[in-house]
Amino acid sequence: MVAVGALLFAVVLAVTIAAPWLATYDPQDIDPIARLRAPSADHWLGTDALGRDVWSRTLYGGRISLTVGLIVAVLASAVGLAIGLVSGFSRIADAIVMRVMDGLMSIPAILLAIALMSVARASIATVVLAITVVEIPRVVRLVRSVVLTLREQTYVEAAVVVGTPPVRIVRRHILPNTLAPLIVQTTYICAAAMLVESILSFLGAGTPPEVPSWGNIMAEGRTFFQIAPWLILSPGLLLGLTVLAINLVGDGLRSMLDPRIARRM
């Protein structure tokens, strides 16, 4: 499962990285004469309402969507790991931190992201920040639950009894045991971030209209879906394929890194 997912993701990643060489037109070139043309030899996936080549825009749009997903996954995992370690190991910090995290998780993720986007200028950095804030509480709760379990283990209690500093206990005994579930969660965050970015762009609250992303392309094509379905189908299929590939990697890693599942397999 990991191999299949990694292969699919590698293909999508390679295609988007090679966009300058695979694209047949500049994604921003406007040709009013060629607007809303069906897929042909000249335009492999047709053109949009402004005559822009959908194939080229889809390739470049994948760069934005993948960049947002990967950056959000790394940032949310790093910040959530740090907060979760402190919250799980310190009862005083736990009482404060988890109330804040519960408050953030009580708000639907999409509504929270839209609210954050409404107070700042639309840009890729703002989208990354908004989605990261949404995903951090989930990482914190995961890491905290693992730390609370590890904190009661005999070897951790023995380290506390002999006077080992808390920082060293966290670094040597707790942090290594949190990495396996965190890696799996990171893959899911990457997939979720790509979906949220597409939803925000589709609603007009995501990346700026001049920046092609899969969400923007689908948002611009929804008005003409009945007469030009290719405007939505091509970026939608690539988005679905990418999310599927990342989820396959996550499920496979969970099976490999969880000893109970590994034994049953």
Side-chain angles (χ1 to χ4, degrees):
M1 188 176 295
V2 174
V4 173
L7 179 60
L8 289 175
F9 183 73
V11 170
V12 175
L13 185 63
V15 168
T16 54
I17 291 176
W21 298 277
L22 296 179
T24 52
Y25 294 88
D26 189 300
Q28 302 290 2
D29 280 351
I30 296 176
D31 185 4
I33 299 178
R35 60 191 304 268
L36 295 178
R37 286 188 178 177
S40 63
D42 294 330
H43 301 280
W44 297 348
L45 295 179
T47 59
D48 63 7
L50 298 178
R52 296 172 296 188
D53 185 66
V54 177
W55 164 253
S56 302
R57 290 181 59 78
T58 301
L59 291 180
Y60 279 91
R63 287 182 151 196
I64 302 300
S65 298
L66 288 171
T67 299
V68 170
L70 293 174
I71 293 178
V72 168
V74 173
L75 289 179
S77 299
V79 176
L81 174 62
I83 298 175
L85 289 174
V86 174
S87 177
F89 201 77
S90 172
R91 287 182 171 85
I92 298 176
D94 184 54
I96 301 173
V97 171
M98 292 314 299
R99 300 297 75 78
V100 176
M101 296 298 112
D102 291 342
L104 290 176
M105 292 193 69
S106 65
I107 306 174
I110 298 299
L111 292 181
L112 180 58
I114 292 175
L116 293 173
M117 289 295 300
S118 64
V119 299
R121 186 175 60 87
S123 66
I124 297 176
T126 308
V127 172
V128 169
L129 178 61
I131 303 177
T132 301
V133 172
V134 169
E135 296 295 338
I136 285 177
R138 293 165 175 77
V139 180
V140 172
R141 292 183 67 90
L142 172 67
V143 175
R144 173 182 175 269
S145 65
V146 175
V147 173
L148 289 177
T149 302
L150 295 173
R151 196 176 63 184
E152 307 301 327
Q153 298 296 319
T154 305
Y155 60 88
V156 175
E157 293 180 347
V160 174
V161 170
V162 300
T164 305
V167 175
R168 188 175 182 184
I169 294 175
V170 171
R171 186 177 69 252
R172 293 193 60 184
H173 301 295
I174 295 181
L175 179 59
N177 291 289
T178 63
L179 294 181
L182 181 62
I183 291 173
V184 177
Q185 183 68 16
T186 301
T187 60
Y188 295 139
I189 290 175
C190 181
M194 294 176 61
L195 288 176
V196 173
E197 183 276 327
S198 297
I199 293 172
L200 291 176
S201 298
F202 191 84
L203 296 175
T207 54
E210 67 272 10
V211 179
S213 72
W214 288 337
N216 270 349
I217 298 172
M218 289 187 286
E220 294 170 355
R222 69 180 184 270
T223 306
F224 307 96
F225 179 71
Q226 292 184 339
I227 60 175
W230 58 84
L231 298 179
I232 292 181
L233 292 180
S234 52
L237 288 174
L238 269 181
L239 175 62
L241 181 64
T242 306
V243 172
L244 173 63
I246 296 174
N247 284 333
L248 286 176
V249 173
D251 288 339
L253 289 176
R254 181 176 60 85
S255 301
M256 293 169 58
L257 298 176
D258 191 330
R260 295 169 298 179
I261 299 178
R263 281 197 299 268
R264 287 201 301 267
M265 293 178 64

